[in-house]
Amino acid sequence: MFVRLKSGLLPYLGYKRRLFLAVLVAVAFIFSILSSTSTWRKVLTEIKDTPAFTKHNYEKSTEKTERENLDSEPEHAELLKINLPEEPVPIIIEDILLSSSKPPPGRTIFFIENSCHRSYTHYKMSRIKAHQACPIESAALHNPNFQVFVLFACPTHRNKSMPIIDALQSYKNVHFRSLNLDRYAEDTPIADWVKKGDLYTSRYLIFHLSDLLRLITLYRFGGVYLDMDVLQLHSLEDEPLNYAGAETSDSIGNSVISLEPNGFGHQLGELFLQDFHVNYKGDAWAHNGPMGLVRVLSEICGTNNVTLMVNNRKRCLGFKVFDVNAFYEVPWTQWQLFFKPENSTETLARTKSSRMVHIWNHIVTKWPLKINSKSAYMHWAAQHCPRVVAVTGERFY
């Protein structure tokens, strides 16, 4: 009977033995993992406690370890002779109001880049293209006794090596500054209105912000404001301040504006700012810019007839409205004349006596251009922004 019982239990005992062995192996495996994890945790804790382990220098620490490993291996000795490039440190552009070097009143030409306009955004100067840099160089080239300030409407930085920016800064009178709108508007007639935030309800925010910033700039410093698509063909140094130019027979453009830093020019700047917030319309593209100039100058000149204002400083109490040919000979509807080689002769003849040409960048679709293009634009670029042209390669963009 015992033998029969034993033979009946044998399968069961065999199963129990196999189960026991499996459990034993599993326990040993888990113990091994825990032991390994504990060891690595200890190692990582020791690493983290060392000064080298931080978010900022972890990569450098890793790189150092790799270099030390290479150093111990003779076959890598040649590799160590190569200097690994360091990551470039961005250069922060100073705020115009916080900088110790400010624009000389009435002796400065201003450009404003406001495609970024929030304090929490950042602008990389590498975004400046050759066709934006060309007007800046033309201003510096033709007006060596004026300072040229390029303002950015948000925190801005540049890298050490940027060919186009380097070309511009090869002129001693070119400077870059950032601005903060709230701070920039302080102590001006429009400060309280800016704080209300009505500006940000605009359907055309970038354009209306640009309209506002040029007026604040001229109210603060006087001088000359130019759009970044206005190419200078002749010097402005001998022209008395306080001027703009007729864009058509019944409109005045605000792409070129000049005001004195004090006296009548400063008073006029105050009137422009007051008109901006009193008559502000966020759904009308030109209402707050060119039309604002016409509204104020109509009061000053005693007429809303732009033709009667042209070249008549006496009528306008010392403010000059240039004729159309001076700045806007080629209207926006004919912008392609700048870029077609077959129209070059005609375009150059039309602008022979012009002081500047407005290129209408916001609607131009012809970039890039070949450097050897026979267009009127590349003819001007070769003469009026030669250093920018020199660093752009075969295509001007």
Side-chain angles (χ1 to χ4, degrees), residues 262-333:
N262 43 45
F264 175 63
H266 190 66
Q267 294 171 8
L268 200 52
E270 183 174 355
L271 292 176
F272 286 144
L273 285 173
Q274 289 175 351
D275 177 85
F276 189 95
H277 75 81
V278 169
N279 295 300
Y280 180 74
K281 289 185 179 180
D283 60 353
W285 182 74
H287 181 81
N288 311 300
M291 291 178 66
L293 265 62
V294 173
R295 285 192 297 272
V296 172
L297 291 175
S298 293
E299 295 295 324
I300 297 296
C301 304
T303 179
N304 58 7
N305 187 328
V306 173
T307 302
L308 294 178
M309 299 180 192
V310 168
N311 295 325
N312 194 339
R313 280 189 182 267
K314 185 176 181 180
R315 169 184 279 278
C316 297
L317 306 182
F319 189 90
K320 181 175 181 177
V321 178
F322 280 91
D323 62 25
V324 172
N325 177 264
F327 312 140
Y328 306 102
E329 172 60 33
V330 179
W332 67 269
T333 54

Side-chain angles (χ1 to χ4, degrees), residues 127-143:
R127 291 171 60 186
I128 293 182
K129 305 303 182 185
H131 66 268
Q132 296 171 302
C134 188
I136 298 171
E137 179 179 355
S138 71
L141 175 67
H142 290 299
N143 305 280

Side-chain angles (χ1 to χ4, degrees), residues 96 103-112 151 184 188-189 210-226 241-244 254-270 272-273 293 319:
I96 187 171
R107 303 293 293 176
T108 303
I109 297 172
F110 294 96
F111 295 89
I112 300 177
L151 309 183
Y184 204 49
T188 74
S210 179
D211 292 334
L212 174 60
L213 287 175
R214 69 193 68 187
L215 297 180
I216 295 177
T217 299
L218 293 175
Y219 176 82
R220 280 187 169 279
F221 304 106
V224 182
Y225 166 83
L226 301 178
L241 299 179
N242 295 338
Y243 57 81
N254 70 339
S255 297
V256 179
I257 312 176
S258 166
L259 292 177
E260 292 174 327
N262 43 45
F264 175 63
H266 190 66
Q267 294 171 8
L268 200 52
E270 183 174 355
F272 286 144
L273 285 173
L293 265 62
F319 189 90

Side-chain angles (χ1 to χ4, degrees), residues 134-206:
C134 188
I136 298 171
E137 179 179 355
S138 71
L141 175 67
H142 290 299
N143 305 280
N145 297 311
F146 273 48
Q147 300 303 303
V148 178
F149 272 68
V150 184
L151 309 183
F152 300 91
C154 72
T156 302
H157 66 270
R158 63 157 295 180
N159 294 328
K160 287 185 177 180
S161 178
M162 297 174 64
I164 288 179
I165 302 302
D166 292 341
L168 293 177
Q169 289 202 299
S170 66
Y171 291 88
K172 294 182 180 180
N173 59 338
V174 173
H175 314 272
F176 298 98
R177 296 288 187 272
S178 65
L179 64 87
N180 173 281
L181 176 58
D182 290 336
R183 181 164 53 239
Y184 204 49
E186 288 178 4
D187 302 320
T188 74
I190 207 165
D192 292 338
W193 183 84
V194 169
K195 290 178 182 177
K196 286 173 57 182
D198 290 353
L199 174 69
Y200 296 101
T201 65
S202 170
R203 288 178 56 190
Y204 308 98
L205 179 57
I206 297 298

